[in-house]
Amino acid sequence: MVDTEYDAIVIGGGSAGLSFARHAADLGAKVALIERAELGGTCVNRGCVPKKMLWTMADALHRSAGLTRAGLLGPVPQVDLARFCAARGDKLESIRQSYRDKLREAGVTLIEDTAELTAPGEVTISGQRLHAPRVVLATGGRPVKPDMQGAELACDSDAVLNWTALPRDMAIIGGGYIGCEMAAIHAALGVRVTLVTDTDRVLTEFSEPAAKVGQANMVAQGIRIITGCTPEAVRKGEDGLELVLDAETTLKVEKVVAATGRAPNLEALGDLKERVALTDKGVVKVDESFETSLPGLHAVGDCADRLPLTPVASSDGETLARQLFGAHRPPVELRHVATTAFILPPVAEVGQPAKEAIFEGNALAPLSAALRADAPQDYYGLGGSEQAVTSVSLVAEGAHEAIAWAAQMLLHRPDRDSMRRALGVHPSTSEEAMG
């Protein structure tokens, strides 16, 4: 039997919920965290971590394949997916165990059960009622499939990241960063990939110049990209599946993957859902204190109206804990959050380059192009003005690492002349951007 009275109850053990619970407990609060599935949420179990591990293998294969085609290396190494899956499983379990240990050390009560908000300040688990003046909804989100015939035959990103065997070919519906990551990774692993998007280009979350370079790199990788197309149906074929694009065109593939967006998990609201205001996108509206329209109920992470990224979820969880039980601090400004699409090479941005003018930018061939067949293009772009640089776009090997440092630089809104006083490494794409 667990205690029934707490200072705060958090529903959801993903990045946001874990961060809130640990920091609130460190500040002296009595906290219960309720999680119905695996600790770590989407990021650890079905998102960032397994994706990055798979991308690491794909990146190595992609680089070596280009050198092999140029005649500079021997045969491309073969993928041992069984060993990879074992290593992935061990890593994810070690992360989950570390979270258990940290919660225990912080004094957080971990309850592995399904929770429902049955009244303001009241959460019910298996018939038992828990109470707290503050309840935190950190239930995350889930992938959604398109509204079309046969959609149930398609895999979503959760399923893809748990594959234990690679298909010979696949079609991906959706050209956002998740769909593009799945395409680039699996193409590098030897899968024939077709990506279909209803937009006029892929990676619409990013600025057009950077996205176009990223798209060109995907095409050079051997990925077939079909733009401006909304598939009509998925159906079973003689040897796999068929993705119907229109009356004349059908793609025959072994797997179809739907990368068509995500929706928040709001089941825990129960009958109180009607009292919680949502945005047009269906996520929970929150104010500067992450409080919803229901007093005493807060929301953080992917279910809230913020940027659905792990660093934002973790930061918001800590910020809410400090607001409630420590010294107040405002939420991080979303324009300062760096983002990356893990294609090959990555596309990375910070600021708002998709919304403001790019006053300086250039696509260029990296030195590796002299050695690798079908070598990708690099790109850098600076937004704002010569007097105050407010955004950075990068497409290059290592862009996912460099963009975080660019984000810290942009906090000071440097002028372009000052940036030129710092010199980049030679030869590199950063040298071009800094020079």
Side-chain angles (χ1 to χ4, degrees), residues 48 80 111 158 201 367 384:
C48 317
D80 190 333
I111 303 170
D158 288 359
R201 63 174 173 87
L367 185 60

Side-chain angles (χ1 to χ4, degrees), residues 4 13 36 93 101 122 138 160 185 188 197 203 223 261 292 304 306 397 416:
T4 58
R36 65 183 181 181
E93 181 53 38
D101 294 342
E122 178 183 274
V160 172
I185 288 170
T197 178
L203 297 173
I223 299 167
T292 72
R306 295 279 283 166
E397 293 178 359
R416 187 66 175 112

Side-chain angles (χ1 to χ4, degrees), residues 48-360:
C48 317
V49 176
K51 183 272 301 290
K52 181 64 180 300
M53 294 180 74
L54 198 61
W55 178 86
T56 299
M57 188 163 62
D59 183 44
L61 287 169
H62 179 57
R63 296 191 198 196
S64 63
L67 293 170
T68 295
R69 286 193 295 271
L72 299 175
L73 283 184
V76 177
Q78 297 301 302
V79 176
D80 190 333
L81 200 60
R83 294 187 68 177
F84 168 80
C85 290
R88 177 182 62 192
D90 290 344
K91 179 60 177 178
L92 301 192
E93 181 53 38
S94 72
I95 295 174
R96 289 190 289 261
Q97 186 57 49
S98 73
Y99 286 146
R100 290 178 179 277
D101 294 342
K102 290 175 181 178
L103 291 175
R104 183 180 64 253
E105 292 166 3
V108 175
T109 299
L110 172 61
I111 303 170
E112 297 178 271
D113 205 336
T114 299
E116 182 178 349
L117 193 66
T118 45
E122 178 183 274
V123 177
T124 298
I125 54 165
S126 299
Q128 185 177 13
R129 297 182 179 182
L130 313 181
H131 298 93
R134 300 290 181 180
V135 175
V136 179
L137 194 70
T139 48
R142 63 186 184 279
V144 293
K145 295 181 180 179
D147 182 16
M148 68 179 190
Q149 182 181 354
E152 71 280 359
L153 298 174
C155 299
D156 58 27
S157 58
D158 288 359
V160 172
L161 289 173
N162 283 292
W163 280 352
T164 56
L166 294 172
R168 66 179 182 276
D169 44 33
M170 61 192 288
I172 299 173
I173 308 170
Y177 76 92
I178 293 178
C180 288
E181 288 177 342
M182 293 297 100
I185 288 170
H186 285 86
L189 297 178
V191 181
R192 295 192 300 273
V193 179
T194 299
L195 185 146
V196 183
T197 178
D198 59 0
T199 54
D200 62 355
R201 63 174 173 87
V202 301
L203 297 173
T204 55
E205 305 96 330
F206 294 82
S207 65
E208 185 173 357
K212 284 187 173 180
V213 172
Q215 180 169 324
N217 288 340
M218 292 173 66
V219 171
Q221 192 186 342
I223 299 167
R224 180 187 180 193
I225 298 177
I226 301 173
T227 60
C229 176
T230 302
E232 297 178 356
V234 181
R235 63 193 183 201
K236 292 183 178 180
E238 293 182 1
D239 187 24
L241 297 174
E242 296 178 350
L243 180 62
V244 180
L245 303 186
D246 53 43
E248 290 78 32
T249 311
T250 298
L251 302 180
K252 296 182 179 181
V253 292
E254 187 174 341
K255 295 284 188 181
V256 174
V257 176
T260 47
R262 297 178 65 82
N265 295 319
L266 302 180
E267 298 87 352
L269 291 175
D271 293 338
L272 294 182
K273 183 177 180 180
E274 298 302 319
R275 297 174 60 180
V276 178
L278 306 180
T279 69
D280 293 340
K281 294 182 179 180
V283 293
V284 178
K285 286 185 178 180
V286 293
D287 61 17
E288 285 288 302
S289 299
F290 304 99
E291 191 165 26
T292 72
S293 57
L294 185 64
L297 176 66
H298 301 260
V300 288
D302 289 3
C303 67
D305 185 21
R306 295 279 283 166
L307 196 60
L309 294 172
T310 294
V312 176
S314 298
S315 176
D316 286 354
E318 178 183 357
T319 297
L320 176 57
R322 294 183 181 277
Q323 288 180 348
L324 296 181
F325 303 110
H328 178 83
R329 76 173 187 184
V332 66
E333 291 187 44
L334 297 182
R335 65 187 179 91
H336 295 150
V337 178
T339 60
T340 292
F342 280 94
I343 59 174
L344 298 164
V347 176
E349 291 187 333
V350 65
Q352 296 181 311
K355 298 180 180 179
E356 64 186 15
I358 304 296
F359 72 88
E360 181 181 331

